[in-house]
Amino acid sequence: MRIKEIRVYSKILPVRGGAYRMASASVEHLDSTIVEIDAGNGLSGWGETCPIGPVYQPHHTLGARAALQELAPALIGSEVGSVREIYRRMDGALSGHGYAKAAIEIAVHDLLGKELGVPVSTLLGGALTDKVPSYYSTIVGEPGETARIALEKAREGYPRLQIKIGGRSIEQDIETIHKVWEAVGFLAKLVVDGNRGLTVANAITVDRMCASIPFVFEQPCNTLEEIASLKGRMTRPVYLDENTEDLNAVLRAVSSGIADGFGFKVTRLGGLSKMITARDICTIRSLPHSCDDAWGGDIIAAACVHLASTVEPRRFEGAWIAQEYISGNFDSQNPVVIRDGFISVPNRPGLGIVPDRGVFGEPIAIFGG
Ligand code: 0XW
Ligand code: MG
């Protein structure tokens, strides 16, 4: 089975309930890039990449689309059976831009799964569970309101809550953490995410001022060097998110012992085949991690969930999907949904979701054909 045509679509995803606010970026709507790979035999595979604005990390919508213009022509006629060969061709056409390559690579997994009649989780080594935990992520907000939402989500069944801080006074950050802990206690695991927004000094202060509260500190500071300088000065585990820009960064963080765990994003690392390497490195060192993406609809959500099902459950930190912040689904028949804090792993061939006909409108670019 070969790639006959690649179609690219744009899909606007407004953020439900206002802006999604983090320490250094705030977004009100996202423009997701959808890739459809048509094999010309009645089968097509779907991929997606949706950076959360142009500031969260060095990825952006138009960058993904420009990269796809370089990549797609090099893939027409390629055999779908070898994801590695497809990746070799993409690397031969363009350096870097893993977040754009990921959209193609996810579509190839979907197509291959459909052709072989197996779910994507099987292509990734095999599922260990049929239901994965998700987690709820608050936005940077008023302390009392954040605590109220945190308790509501814990009661709904989310086993883990990610509390956003940063980009304001640390007094407010400290108050938020205390109020969330008072409200939620051990009802859910707590993670505090600084999204690169704190100085080393403030990260240490927040840590000390909340010393008795059990939480993991995710990406408190901007660079790997700043995070490395926290080693031995924190009372709690530190996880990396934004700094794991590619597999080399993961390897560096693991081998130098900087990170106690990770918030992984499928597209940032370059797709599912890169993520399984990261997963397996974490297995060797017993490191916990999540399987997320920055944003996106059912396609990226399904990719995250398939991958999540292959991670050792006792080390798994959850699959975050954007469902709580967007309205509607690409696949109205079999959407990927969070129920009581957990997500069922699709068991149909490929990603197990099929976007409704016409849901993305006309393609914005077509290659091959
Ligand atoms: C909670 N997320 C996975 C979704 C947004 O992209 C931010 C992100 C994070 O952990 O930073
Ligand atoms: Mg994070």
Side-chain angles (χ1 to χ4, degrees), residues 56 135 162 164 193-195 218-219 241-242 263 265 292:
Y56 177 73
Y135 65 91
Q162 186 201 63
K164 297 284 194 201
D193 192 353
N195 284 115
E218 181 170 320
Q219 196 68 54
D241 180 359
E242 289 93 316
K265 294 203 167 56
D292 314 321

Side-chain angles (χ1 to χ4, degrees), residues 206-356:
V206 168
D207 178 64
R208 296 294 152 89
M209 296 294 290
C210 303
S212 62
I213 304 176
F215 68 84
V216 159
F217 216 156
E218 181 170 320
Q219 196 68 54
C221 308
N222 188 26
T223 63
L224 213 50
E225 289 72 19
E226 287 158 78
I227 304 270
S229 81
L230 295 174
K231 193 85 197 159
R233 297 202 274 174
M234 299 296 267
T235 63
R236 68 193 68 254
V238 174
Y239 285 15
L240 288 180
D241 180 359
E242 289 93 316
N243 283 158
T244 54
E245 282 168 3
D246 54 23
L247 279 178
N248 188 38
V250 175
L251 203 52
R252 203 179 330 137
V254 171
S255 58
S256 59
I258 296 173
D260 302 301
F262 297 95
F264 282 142
K265 294 203 167 56
V266 175
T267 57
R268 180 176 63 223
L269 284 187
L272 293 164
S273 55
K274 305 295 177 187
M275 274 293 303
I276 59 176
T277 303
R279 174 199 68 191
D280 294 344
I281 290 172
C282 287
T283 302
I284 296 166
R285 293 287 172 92
S286 307
L287 289 163
H289 64 87
S290 64
C291 292
D292 314 321
D293 215 72
W295 210 267
D298 282 321
I299 300 170
I300 200 69
C304 291
V305 171
H306 279 283
L307 180 74
S309 73
T310 71
V311 180
E312 177 60 43
R314 76 188 168 83
R315 283 188 302 96
F316 187 53
E317 292 281 11
W320 184 88
I321 63 173
Q323 177 198 306
E324 292 270 18
Y325 290 97
I326 55 181
S327 302
N329 290 88
F330 298 166
D331 180 343
S332 54
Q333 298 288 306
N334 296 295
V336 180
V337 283
I338 305 168
R339 270 195 227 297
D340 305 326
F342 287 76
I343 311 171
S344 293
V345 183
N347 56 10
R348 284 169 294 278
L351 289 173
I353 59 118
V354 180
D356 296 345

Side-chain angles (χ1 to χ4, degrees), residues 172-226:
Q172 284 174 295
D173 288 341
I174 292 166
E175 189 187 340
T176 300
I177 297 167
H178 278 275
K179 286 212 159 133
V180 168
W181 170 241
E182 280 158 26
V184 175
F186 288 107
L187 203 54
K189 268 165 72 174
L190 296 183
V191 182
V192 170
D193 192 353
N195 284 115
R196 303 190 286 126
L198 278 72
T199 60
V200 167
N202 280 352
I204 293 172
T205 305
V206 168
D207 178 64
R208 296 294 152 89
M209 296 294 290
C210 303
S212 62
I213 304 176
F215 68 84
V216 159
F217 216 156
E218 181 170 320
Q219 196 68 54
C221 308
N222 188 26
T223 63
L224 213 50
E225 289 72 19
E226 287 158 78

